[in-house]
Amino acid sequence: MDPRHARLLLPALGLASCLWPHGATLAMGLPRATPARFGPLKLISYYDYPPFVTSPQQGLSFELAGWLHMRAEGLIEGVELELLPRRRVDIQVRQAQWAGLVPWVSPAWFSSPDPAQAPIWSAAVMNDEDLVLSLKRQPFEFEGPASLRGHKLGGVYGHVYTDADPLVASGELQRLDSFTQEANLRMLLLGRVDLAFLSRSGLAWWRQRIPGFDELVHVAAQPRMRYQRHLMISRDLPETLRERLLQLAQTMGGDSQWREVMRRYGLLGQSAEWLNIA
């Protein structure tokens, strides 16, 4: 399966009900009323690379889908994760009555012309930053966008680099794109580009994936930018479900099961308390 267009559907029964059984009902008296379930909850994401997708049906986004399903306490029938190109995500979230969730994004990356239709943003669920990579035999220290001038940057098709692209347009920076993040890193290792950008959240994965990564690659001391990742939640989801999702995001960093997920992906230090970003 092409990881750039994949779906995962977690049913209402199964793993979640085994790990998180509901409390026993009372033997006498009236049964407790249960809210109507919504579902499946649709997650859409354009992150098709590590740590969010590491192989078909695996990665942090799939872990999130499973965790939300288990923690939603009977409010949803299941969770469906679909990987789409960024432009298709933009189209979907602008559609009338879109009801879903986009993980790992920032309010700065999405605009809503109509405040009444603006999505709801959760608390930050991860702190991240974009790193600037070069080869140790020709190490580069990032000192702002102007320091990129005169270099050859490896990029990924479809990605917008708001600080670097104006330099590309003016001819002060050369950009050579690859179709995937892995291919881009290989271009750097082969010396075909001078620089590449990589999120810190993906660093641990590539250190394990590429032999000799630490011996070959230099990470600039100053990151290109820092940001926080949130859950973007549709206003058209039922209010009870929206409130539950917001609560889950708020307490995510202290959840023992989610912390174990973050530990396995080498991201435990990037939970929301990792650094204080205004």
Side-chain angles (χ1 to χ4, degrees), residues 22 30-31 87 102 155 162 179 189 210 213 228 243 250 266 269 272:
H22 297 293
L30 295 174
R87 64 183 181 277
V102 182
T162 55
F179 283 107
L189 294 172
I210 298 178
F213 185 98
Q228 292 184 310
E243 293 302 315
Q250 186 73 43

Side-chain angles (χ1 to χ4, degrees), residues 88-147:
R88 290 189 59 191
V89 171
D90 289 338
I91 292 170
Q92 284 210 20
V93 300
R94 287 197 296 263
Q95 288 179 346
Q97 299 182 335
W98 171 73
L101 183 154
V102 182
W104 317 125
V105 290
S106 167
W109 306 339
F110 289 84
S111 61
S112 178
D114 183 359
Q117 297 298 320
I120 297 170
W121 292 93
S122 77
V125 297
M126 185 194 298
N127 294 299
D128 212 342
E129 55 188 8
D130 281 354
L131 307 174
V132 182
L133 309 184
S134 57
L135 292 177
K136 285 192 172 180
R137 66 172 183 260
Q138 292 181 310
F140 171 82
E141 289 300 335
F142 180 73
E143 297 177 349
S147 65

Side-chain angles (χ1 to χ4, degrees), residues 159-278:
H159 285 222
V160 176
Y161 306 120
T162 55
D163 52 350
D165 287 345
L167 297 175
V168 175
S170 66
E172 298 172 276
L173 173 67
Q174 191 175 357
R175 175 173 167 173
L176 183 62
D177 282 356
S178 300
F179 283 107
T180 66
Q181 190 178 69
E182 181 171 8
N184 188 32
L185 291 175
R186 299 290 182 187
M187 292 286 283
L188 176 66
L189 294 172
L190 291 171
R192 295 180 182 173
V193 295
D194 306 322
L195 310 172
F197 300 149
L198 180 71
S199 65
R200 182 171 291 279
S201 56
L203 184 62
W205 170 265
W206 292 114
R207 278 177 163 163
Q208 297 176 2
R209 178 86 172 182
I210 298 178
F213 185 98
D214 289 331
E215 289 72 31
L216 297 170
V217 176
H218 173 75
V219 180
Q222 178 181 328
R224 172 176 164 250
M225 62 178 62
R226 288 179 170 174
Y227 47 90
Q228 292 184 310
R229 297 185 184 273
H230 304 251
L231 307 181
M232 186 172 76
I233 301 169
S234 167
R235 289 184 180 273
D236 286 311
L237 288 174
E239 183 178 1
T240 54
L241 178 55
R242 293 200 316 263
E243 293 302 315
R244 180 60 177 153
L245 292 171
L246 291 172
Q247 179 192 26
L248 287 173
Q250 186 73 43
T251 59
M252 202 169 181
D255 182 274
S256 59
Q257 195 164 35
W258 184 252
R259 288 178 70 85
E260 173 59 21
V261 170
M262 296 290 276
R263 185 197 65 77
R264 287 193 283 105
Y265 283 80
L267 299 172
L268 191 56
Q270 288 182 230
S271 55
E273 70 274 10
W274 174 52
L275 53 90
N276 183 21
I277 302 179

